[in-house]
């Protein structure tokens, strides 16, 4: 007798899609077989797809400090809605995660209200340099901004960057990097200020990203520090990563759905809802990112869920804060990429589940097999879905994904076997995991 069984699903195992049943006990998958034993709680999937829960290694849930934009209750509900069962969060507003006290206080505050597994990054900057080992055991890596972004000033000298990377390497941790060159961005914004949305991809240019990515790779080589480059948006950055990997450097990289679905023409047309850092670039950049996702040069896909207030995202382009709300639709947009031929179901699970599980050392997650955590998502790929604002669990309901036609929708999300989101006229009263 199992505690829980899921029957009638097409289950993505490591050797492909199988019509099998899954038994869950004590928060783990305990049996995967053509027919599993009866259970106390039975879930009938009606032919939906059962995938490992997604691991999103880049979200901003804004708590503590900016709870008016998002908090961990709404952010993790949105994550669960998007098929995400583990979210790693970057605090980029005060208080930054620069001490053990700050991280402990944050985790104590947010864990009880989270529906999915959550982790955080430390902030590596001038203020925390020399003290990273004091809280390395609490974080999934250390975030470094090479340019200012919201509350974080960024690290702009090679001396400081080297010190931080050496320290992270010594601890055996991972540096996660936002790579845009500060001077080039400042100059670009000034030069293209009057062009508004149509000039945003020139203001925060591909060249500014490539320069910073090359700098990060150079210092990775010099210090031996493992680096993970977040949200790449340009062809040149993908080329630089391919070259670094060919040279055997410990570099991994990620991109986000908005960089592989939209182009700068969409930003020009849509305006502030597609304003983000890095900017969305040309069709050629998008195509190279797609190729990188296909061939594994880009290891990970992540949302960079960056919620802002409705009135902020309605503001004129110039004053509109960068960032878009996207974690509610993460798995649906990945299914769109499967439909477009960018991903297969197997590469979807590789980039959004297995690769992040390996990168962050959470290998009990990321695949469906006996002995792994029962973090799972059931998604119906036979019913297309076009979300409205009301469908978003995030506080940030103004999103460029509203009105987008997705080829499927999340039906149920499980964390440790417990249902943390289920389709019920789009909403659920489900409590934290
Ligand atoms: O577009 C962005 N928004 N890029 C970032 O780096 C930060 C983020 C935010 O926090 O809103
Ligand atoms: Zn971000």
């Amino acid at each position: 007798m199992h505690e829980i069984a899921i029957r009638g699903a097409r289950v993505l195992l490591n050797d492909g899609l199988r019509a099998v049943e899954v038994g869950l006990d004590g928060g783990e998958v305990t049996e995967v077989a053509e027919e599993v034993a009866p259970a106390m709680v039975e879930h009938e999937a009606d032919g939906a797809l059962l995938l490992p829960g997604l691991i999103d290694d880049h979200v901003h849930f804004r708590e503590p400090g900016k709870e008016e934009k998002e908090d961990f209750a709404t952010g993790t509900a949105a994550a669960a809605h998007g098929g995400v069962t583990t979210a790693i969060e970057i605090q980029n507003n005060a208080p930054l995660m620069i001490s053990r006290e700050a991280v402990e206080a944050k985790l104590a505050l947010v864990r009880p209200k989270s529906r999915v597994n959550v982790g955080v990054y430390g902030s590596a900057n001038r203020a925390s340099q020399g003290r990273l080992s004091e809280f390395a055991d609490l974080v999934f890596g250390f975030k470094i901004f090479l340019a200012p972004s919201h509350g974080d000033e960024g690290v702009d000298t090679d001396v400081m960057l080297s010190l931080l990377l050496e320290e992270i390497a010594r601890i055996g941790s991972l540096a996660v990097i936002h790579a845009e060159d500060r001077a080039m961005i400042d100059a670009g914004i000034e030069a293209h200020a009057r062009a508004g949305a149509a000039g945003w991809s020139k203001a925060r240019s591909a060249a500014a990203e490539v320069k910073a990515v090359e700098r990060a790779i150079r210092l990775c080589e010099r210090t031996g520090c493992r680096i993970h480059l977040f949200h790449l948006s340009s062809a040149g950055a993908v080329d630089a990563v391919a070259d670094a990997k060919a040279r055997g450097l410990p570099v991994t990289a990620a991109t986000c759905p908005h960089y592989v679905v939209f182009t700068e023409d969409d930003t020009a047309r849509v305006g502030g809802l597609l304003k983000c850092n890095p900017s969305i670039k040309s069709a050629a950049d998008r195509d190279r990112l797609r190729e990188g996702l296909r061939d594994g040069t880009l290891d990970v896909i992540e949302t960079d869920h960056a919620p802002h207030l409705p009135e902020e995202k309605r503001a004129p382009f110039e004053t509109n804060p960068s960032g878009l709300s996207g974690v509610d639709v993460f798995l649906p947009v990945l299914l769109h990429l499967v439909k477009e031929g960018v991903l297969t179901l197997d590469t979807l699970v590789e980039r959004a589940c297995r690769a992040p599980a390996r990168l962050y050392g959470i290998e009990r997650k990321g695949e469906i097999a006996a002995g792994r955590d029962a973090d799972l998502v059931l998604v119906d790929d036979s019913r297309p879905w076009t979300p409205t604002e009301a469908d978003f669990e995030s506080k940030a309901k103004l999103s460029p994904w509203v009105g987008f036609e997705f080829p499927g929708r999340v039906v149920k999300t499980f964390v440790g076997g417990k249902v943390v989101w289920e389709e019920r006229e789009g909403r659920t009263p489900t409590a934290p995991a």
Side-chain angles (χ1 to χ4, degrees):
M1 185 90 178
H2 288 294
E3 287 172 24
I4 302 162
I6 304 172
R7 305 183 201 274
R10 291 137 59 225
V11 184
L12 194 83
L13 303 178
N14 277 347
D15 58 350
L17 269 188
R18 298 281 173 260
V20 289
E21 299 181 346
V22 180
L24 313 176
D25 299 276
E28 279 182 20
V29 175
T30 46
E31 190 184 5
V32 178
E34 255 171 51
E35 198 180 332
V36 302
M40 262 109 72
V41 179
E42 297 273 351
H43 294 277
E44 173 50 54
D46 293 321
L49 266 176
L50 187 69
L51 303 179
L54 309 182
I55 298 170
D56 188 351
D57 76 350
H58 192 144
V59 297
H60 301 279
F61 289 160
R62 313 288 196 214
E63 185 177 10
K66 295 263 185 220
E67 294 86 347
E68 68 280 12
K69 297 190 186 211
E70 194 78 286
D71 57 44
F72 272 72
T74 54
T76 60
H81 181 202
V84 173
T85 51
T86 299
I88 315 181
E89 205 257 357
I90 299 162
Q91 170 98 7
N92 61 354
N93 53 262
L96 292 179
M97 296 296 106
I98 54 174
S99 68
R100 188 164 191 94
E101 296 67 42
V103 177
E104 278 175 348
K106 172 158 173 139
L107 290 174
L109 174 70
V110 305
R111 283 236 155 99
K113 55 174 85 168
S114 293
R115 287 198 198 192
V116 304
N117 307 295
V118 292
V120 301
Y121 296 106
S123 312
N125 58 22
R126 217 168 271 282
S128 55
Q129 189 264 319
R131 298 176 28 226
L132 302 182
S133 65
E134 292 170 19
F135 56 109
D137 59 316
L138 298 179
V139 299
F140 278 78
F142 289 94
K143 178 74 194 271
I144 302 181
F145 285 92
L146 299 186
S149 182
H150 295 271
D152 199 317
E153 264 304 288
V155 174
D156 48 13
T157 68
D158 272 4
V159 175
M160 181 52 63
L161 185 55
S162 294
L163 284 174
L164 291 170
L165 292 179
E166 277 162 13
E167 190 176 350
I168 294 167
R170 219 165 30 243
I171 301 166
S173 189
L174 174 72
V176 294
I177 298 182
H178 179 136
E180 288 186 284
D181 183 76
R182 178 180 194 153
M184 287 179 77
I185 286 171
D186 288 347
I189 289 177
E190 205 166 307
H192 297 277
R194 271 190 297 279
W200 191 235
S201 63
K202 313 268 176 319
R204 293 189 85 117
S205 66
E209 179 173 83
V210 173
K211 185 170 179 199
V213 163
E214 286 174 346
R215 176 179 169 219
I217 289 172
R218 211 167 45 242
L219 289 168
C220 153
E221 186 165 18
R222 200 183 296 160
T223 60
C225 185
R226 289 192 298 134
I227 64 169
H228 180 55
L229 296 158
F230 276 150
H231 50 50
L232 296 186
S233 66
S234 65
V238 181
D239 291 338
V241 171
D243 175 70
K245 287 186 167 184
R247 291 190 290 127
L249 298 179
V251 175
T252 53
T255 190
C256 313
H258 40 283
Y259 301 118
V260 284
V261 172
F262 300 117
T263 69
E264 59 196 352
D265 296 342
D266 296 303
T267 311
R269 183 174 48 80
V270 172
L273 285 186
L274 281 177
K275 185 178 182 186
C276 55
N277 302 337
S279 61
I280 294 168
K281 302 199 169 60
S282 70
D285 290 301
R286 177 200 59 193
D287 293 346
R288 180 72 183 96
L289 291 163
R290 289 181 165 199
E291 198 183 312
L293 269 184
R294 271 193 211 104
D295 69 19
T297 305
L298 298 174
D299 305 81
V300 168
I301 190 156
E302 62 194 13
T303 62
D304 196 3
H305 175 72
H308 295 289
L309 294 173
E311 54 269 33
E312 291 175 322
K313 291 308 288 181
R314 273 192 214 104
F317 193 83
E318 290 63 32
T319 53
N320 202 300
S322 285
L324 55 91
S325 178
V327 77
D328 268 280
V329 302
F330 193 22
L331 182 50
V333 78
L334 295 180
L335 291 180
H336 166 78
L337 292 174
V338 171
K339 191 173 148 210
E340 294 279 294
V342 177
L343 298 172
T344 61
L345 277 180
D346 188 63
T347 49
L348 182 165
V349 167
E350 177 60 28
R351 309 280 176 263
C353 308
R354 287 184 222 124
R358 284 196 304 273
L359 184 59
Y360 297 99
I362 43 174
E363 279 138 332
R364 295 181 50 81
K365 305 191 182 294
E367 58 183 84
I368 302 176
R372 302 296 179 115
D373 288 347
D375 293 355
L376 306 164
V377 56
L378 254 186
V379 58
D380 186 348
D381 56 347
S382 71
R383 279 186 302 141
W385 179 56
T386 299
T388 63
E389 284 177 26
D391 290 325
F392 276 62
E393 299 279 358
S394 170
K395 287 183 186 175
K397 298 182 193 303
L398 289 188
S399 165
W401 300 112
V402 168
F404 194 91
E405 192 181 308
F406 296 107
R409 61 183 77 200
V410 170
V411 178
K412 271 180 199 171
T413 306
F414 302 84
V415 171
K418 187 174 164 201
V419 175
V420 295
W421 195 89
E422 75 182 299
E423 187 187 21
R424 203 179 290 161
E425 290 171 7
R427 293 308 195 128
T428 174
T430 315

